[in-house]
Amino acid sequence: MSYGAISVGMGFGVWLPVLLAVLVLAGASEILFIGIVAAGGSPVAATVAGLLVNARHLPFGLAVSEVVGRGWRRVLGSHVLNDESLVFALGQRDAERSRAAFWACGLGILICWPLGALAGALLGTVIGDTDSFGLDAMFPAVLLALVLPQLRDARSGGTALAGAAIALVATPFLPAGLPVLLALLALIGLVRRPGAGVRKAGVREEPEEREEREEREEREEREEPKEEAR
Amino acid sequence: MNGSTVVLVIAVLVLAAGTFAFRFAGPLLRDRVSVPERTEQLMTMSALVLLAAVIATTALYEGHELAGYARPAGVAVGGVLAWRRLPFIVVVLAAAATTALLRLLGVR
């Protein structure tokens, strides 16, 4: 609902958030798309940024292909594959329950997300000046609440912070949409060094491994200003 | 429907088609190709970096100008509450309420 209200608050018609909700069905990329266009960015930049954010669905699909199914089920199953249904599917022990959880969550979102967007958008048109209600703070807060649980370990947290810093430095100088893409430079630190992979939360480290990693992170911290200056 | 609306609709359609292609490709490729775990992690991380950049720029900027104090303050309150694992709805409403209250008090 807040997504719909925010979109209308940014000056779009009710149709845009609802159309995105039905056809794209991936919250973060929809909010990003609307945010970039609202900031004066080109629809092309918004599409590219949205696609980049949604590229994660490819490894998602690789991870839970069994629960998605085959034939026509695969078509619908792919569409309802998202962060939430993935988490539900991964949370179950046996394949049967995993499939049931995936479909229940996926179909639930398929119905609720567009309806919520519509309700929010209609509400947004009634409210009028959404800024005085602080709705503009809702958008980053929504994303923050969704992303934070995945950034709790030092490594991904640090990389995300570096990316955010790059985007912030670049924003006054570059067309809307580009600073966000430029943030991907923060990944260079991960790509360049083999073995410096993203750590999954809850994976235990060996003491030597930990020392190595800390050294690496120190090095990267020294290198970071160079990357931002680019 | 004016020209920019048509462009916007086309952009939505392209985003929808591309997103579906990403979703469909996973189950389709599963039996044929094995993606190294590192590549998978890197894709996840790039999504997180993009999202972090979006959060930071939308919290602090309005277009190319800084957005003032009220909005970043609200987002920061939301961030602290999210870090302390408070429910999603509490986080979002607290962020909006903080910003709204600051604006009511005359802070821009």
Side-chain angles (χ1 to χ4, degrees), chain A residues 118-209:
Chain A
L118 177 64
L122 293 176
L123 204 66
T125 48
V126 177
I127 290 176
D129 180 20
T130 50
D131 266 15
S132 61
F133 289 87
L135 288 195
D136 55 324
M138 261 187 181
F139 164 59
V142 165
L143 283 185
L144 195 56
L146 289 174
V147 163
L148 261 186
Q150 301 180 67
L151 295 177
R152 282 184 177 267
D153 62 310
R155 181 136 204 104
S156 33
T159 310
L161 273 182
I166 292 171
L168 285 180
V169 170
T171 298
F173 312 107
L174 293 177
L178 273 186
V180 167
L181 298 183
L182 205 65
L184 288 175
L185 283 178
L187 290 170
I188 289 174
L190 295 179
V191 180
R192 218 165 29 198
R193 272 171 282 277
V198 183
R199 282 183 187 280
K200 288 199 172 142
V203 175
R204 279 184 63 163
E205 295 180 279
E206 298 300 320
E208 306 95 317
E209 228 180 282

Side-chain angles (χ1 to χ4, degrees), chain B residues 34-53:
Chain B
S34 69
V35 170
E37 201 191 352
R38 248 187 75 66
T39 311
E40 213 169 292
Q41 290 173 342
L42 210 60
M43 297 202 72
T44 308
M45 196 61 233
S46 56
L48 294 176
V49 167
L50 286 169
L51 289 171

Side-chain angles (χ1 to χ4, degrees), chain A residues 25 78 81 131 152 174, chain B residues 19 23 30 64 71 83 103:
Chain A
L25 199 67
S78 298
L81 170 62
D131 266 15
R152 282 184 177 267
L174 293 177
Chain B
T19 301
R23 284 179 168 139
R30 188 68 186 120
H64 293 284
R71 192 198 297 170
W83 188 257
R103 292 207 173 113

Side-chain angles (χ1 to χ4, degrees), chain A residues 3-170:
Chain A
Y3 153 68
I6 294 160
S7 311
V8 171
M10 284 172 166
F12 292 108
V14 172
W15 64 272
L16 182 61
V18 176
L19 188 70
L20 278 166
V22 171
L23 294 179
V24 181
L25 199 67
S29 69
E30 294 165 30
I31 299 173
L32 175 59
F33 181 95
I34 283 186
I36 289 176
V37 176
S42 76
V44 175
T47 305
V48 169
L51 283 176
L52 269 165
V53 169
N54 286 343
R56 70 181 187 284
H57 290 92
L58 200 148
F60 283 2
L62 291 172
V64 294
S65 61
E66 323 80 59
V67 304
V68 175
R70 296 177 169 276
W72 67 268
R73 288 177 70 109
R74 183 181 274 169
V75 176
L76 185 61
S78 298
H79 188 51
V80 300
L81 170 62
N82 54 42
D83 309 62
E84 294 83 4
S85 59
L86 175 82
V87 171
F88 269 78
L90 294 178
Q92 310 300 321
R93 282 207 194 119
D94 58 288
E96 191 69 20
R97 293 185 56 171
S98 185
R99 189 173 299 121
F102 172 82
W103 281 92
C105 177
L107 293 177
I109 287 175
L110 179 68
I111 295 163
C112 294
W113 175 250
L115 284 182
L118 177 64
L122 293 176
L123 204 66
T125 48
V126 177
I127 290 176
D129 180 20
T130 50
D131 266 15
S132 61
F133 289 87
L135 288 195
D136 55 324
M138 261 187 181
F139 164 59
V142 165
L143 283 185
L144 195 56
L146 289 174
V147 163
L148 261 186
Q150 301 180 67
L151 295 177
R152 282 184 177 267
D153 62 310
R155 181 136 204 104
S156 33
T159 310
L161 273 182
I166 292 171
L168 285 180
V169 170

